[in-house]
Amino acid sequence: MNKIDLYAIHNLDRQRTPEALGAQLTAQRNAAADTLAHSRIDTARAILSDPGLRARYDAMLADPTATVDESTLAAIAGRPVPQASRRSPFAEPKARILAGAAALIALVLVIAVIAVVAGGGGDDAGTTATDQGKPSSPSSSSSGVTRADREAWRGKTDNDDLKRADWPDDEAPNATVHLTKATALPVDVADAFANNFNDCDAVTCRIEQYQDKSIGVYAKPTLALYGQDGALMSTKTYLPTELPAHFDRAHALSAGYFHVTADAGIEIPAAAAGNAEHMNYAIGILPDAFDDTKFWVLLRGGTAVYQADVRATPEWLDEVSPR
């Protein structure tokens, strides 16, 4: 039975610690170019950097009767199944040929319409040509998204929609991770994120949620625990292998560049900035397992843990369809 061997695929030493494997996979993710590779590496990192999840995966890998495919890995990691990003159909040769043929037909039709208008000159012909130029629906946009679609997104927050704010390509996303509250990190934790973020990986610098609903922000060796209101409850030192047990209903962590905005008075660290307005790098974005409208965010170079929601960008909401 075919099994996906993450160690072989990512050229990893099975004898290395979860911490070391997490660091290797982080380096591989930073070097990867496409979103599908990012997603697969994120899944592998979530599994192999967590001792409990890694043990579960290793047991299934050794079981001759077990299936270990991408769906299995996604279930273990608590992440969506990796999927290739949508690309323009004109990337395929056959599609390019069809597109060329369609363009030629469209050109012929345009010439025919112009000929009818120029030759006939009558009111009926002019009216027909004008009517053909109208959009099929007064609420349709050039992207095929209706005003109703946009209105339905006002104020929407949902864990499934975090991917709408992901910024893997040059085109700005149609959703934003909007920061609503910032709570200072303990000094030693803040220093790790603010000054040494290049040394952080999924094991030594992370954010996760526990069964008691608390949020843990870890920068080796300090774990800071926050309540649902964002208040700091306690700090304690741990080795990565000694941290509290992983909550099996916690959501998967996302990292990378996102469209990020903030309420007035909340400062987004300069070290998080990308090469476009509102493009910022998140070390981790964690959907709350107990509140679908809440997200917990760590930004590169930041000294706070942020609470956030996901909402449509004003630019996307306000886009006006052609009339």
Side-chain angles (χ1 to χ4, degrees):
M1 182 176 294
N2 293 330
K3 296 177 184 290
I4 296 179
D5 187 334
L6 296 176
Y7 299 101
I9 291 173
H10 298 286
N11 195 26
L12 302 172
D13 185 347
R14 298 171 188 269
Q15 305 304 315
R16 301 292 298 275
T17 64
E19 179 178 358
L21 294 180
Q24 285 183 266
L25 288 166
T26 297
Q28 290 183 23
R29 190 192 192 282
N30 292 338
D34 63 276
T35 55
L36 179 59
H38 286 173
S39 183
R40 284 173 170 161
I41 294 171
D42 284 341
T43 296
R45 184 171 60 181
I47 294 171
L48 298 182
S49 65
D50 184 290
L53 298 184
R54 181 183 179 185
R56 179 181 170 190
Y57 166 73
D58 287 346
M60 295 185 72
L61 199 62
D63 183 352
T65 65
T67 298
V68 183
D69 55 16
E70 289 208 298
S71 296
T72 306
L73 297 178
I76 295 173
R79 291 179 46 81
V81 177
Q83 295 181 355
S85 60
R86 293 190 298 273
R87 296 184 181 274
S88 169
F90 301 104
E92 298 297 331
K94 184 180 294 186
R96 287 200 297 268
I97 294 172
L98 293 175
L104 180 59
I105 293 171
L107 179 60
V108 171
L109 290 175
V110 169
I111 293 173
V113 170
I114 293 174
V116 170
V117 174
D123 291 341
D124 291 343
T127 301
T128 301
T130 304
D131 289 343
Q132 288 176 343
K134 290 182 179 179
S136 59
S137 169
S139 64
S140 298
S141 72
S142 57
S143 64
V145 181
T146 67
R147 289 183 186 276
D149 292 331
R150 299 182 194 281
E151 289 301 322
W153 246 83
R154 289 192 183 276
K156 182 178 178 61
T157 54
D158 193 304
N159 291 344
D160 293 337
D161 292 311
L162 178 59
K163 59 183 178 292
R164 291 176 177 262
D166 187 19
W167 204 325
D169 303 312
D170 293 334
E171 185 176 352
N174 59 20
T176 182
V177 176
H178 188 79
L179 310 179
T180 57
K181 184 176 182 179
T183 305
L185 293 165
V187 174
D188 50 348
V189 177
D191 286 347
F193 289 119
N195 302 321
N196 302 309
F197 56 81
N198 286 327
D199 298 327
C200 286
D201 57 47
V203 175
T204 58
C205 300
R206 57 179 167 174
I207 181 171
E208 60 185 326
Q209 189 164 30
Y210 301 110
Q211 194 167 10
D212 64 357
K213 301 185 180 182
S214 64
I215 300 297
V217 179
Y218 182 67
K220 184 182 179 182
T222 302
L223 174 68
L225 284 179
Y226 293 83
Q228 280 284 297
D229 60 354
L232 178 65
M233 300 191 301
S234 66
T235 59
K236 189 175 180 179
T237 58
Y238 292 92
L239 292 175
T241 55
E242 298 173 342
L243 287 167
H246 175 79
F247 178 37
D248 57 7
R249 298 297 296 173
H251 288 295
L253 189 69
S254 297
Y257 281 103
F258 286 82
H259 191 288
V260 180
T261 56
D263 281 348
I266 297 178
E267 182 177 354
I268 296 177
N275 59 355
E277 186 179 12
H278 301 311
M279 178 192 285
N280 291 282
Y281 191 89
I283 296 173
I285 299 180
L286 180 68
D288 194 286
F290 301 91
D291 183 347
D292 284 345
T293 67
K294 183 183 295 184
F295 296 78
W296 301 88
V297 181
L298 295 176
L299 296 177
R300 183 168 63 186
T303 58
V305 57
Y306 304 93
Q307 291 182 48
D309 56 38
V310 172
R311 58 184 69 173
T313 61
E315 297 84 0
W316 190 76
L317 282 175
D318 296 338
E319 182 180 325
V320 178
S321 307
R323 283 286 187 268

